[in-house]
Amino acid sequence: MNSLGELERSIMEVLWGTDAWLTVREVVNRLSDRDNAYTTVMTVLNRLVRKDFVRRERDEDGRTWRYRPAAGRETYIAELMLAALSETGDRLAALGHFARSVTPEEAEALRRALPEGGTS
């Protein structure tokens, strides 16, 4: 799982914040840091396409690219968590520590998310 740089993360937050396909200009206008050049945002969006974080398609007239996330924020976070888990020498110990640190509501959500028998 690729991690995201600061500008990549900001751009993904913009894309995750809408269900619409966005142009580069729309992304630039929605970024909280207004100092980003159009060409910089375009370059980063194209990098995110190559990393499979973002999909793109041409608009109706075929002249402008529009962008949207390839997956939701939750999918990205879950993949980061799995990548972090793979870094430990003892996955079961790490999972146990994690399980003891969640709230009762989060623990119940984990129980509900597990298939019958606890394995997938």
Side-chain angles (χ1 to χ4, degrees):
M1 177 75 204
N2 293 318
S3 61
L4 297 172
E6 185 177 335
L7 182 54
E8 290 174 325
R9 203 169 26 256
S10 295
I11 289 171
M12 290 305 301
E13 288 297 332
V14 167
L15 295 174
W16 282 325
T18 182
D19 290 331
W21 290 82
L22 299 178
T23 64
V24 175
R25 176 62 55 209
E26 290 168 329
V27 172
V28 169
N29 290 341
R30 292 178 186 204
L31 285 169
S32 58
D33 178 5
R34 300 292 180 147
D35 294 334
N36 294 300
Y38 178 95
T39 54
T40 300
V41 173
M42 182 176 61
T43 298
V44 173
L45 279 164
N46 289 328
R47 185 180 321 137
L48 289 166
V49 169
R50 285 193 306 279
K51 289 179 165 184
D52 293 324
F53 282 103
V54 171
R55 292 191 179 116
R56 71 178 178 185
E57 68 177 22
R58 294 275 186 188
D59 68 359
E60 302 80 34
D61 65 12
R63 295 174 30 167
T64 305
W65 286 110
R66 295 189 177 274
Y67 300 85
R68 73 177 304 147
R73 179 187 292 110
E74 294 78 12
T75 300
Y76 171 66
I77 297 300
E79 289 178 8
L80 284 178
M81 292 168 68
L82 288 170
L85 187 59
S86 71
E87 295 295 317
T88 182
D90 188 345
R91 287 176 65 110
L92 293 179
L95 280 171
H97 182 75
F98 176 77
R100 288 186 298 278
S101 68
V102 300
T103 67
E105 294 81 16
E106 292 165 338
E108 182 56 33
L110 287 171
R111 277 188 214 91
R112 285 192 313 268
L114 290 172
E116 284 295 315
T119 60
S120 51

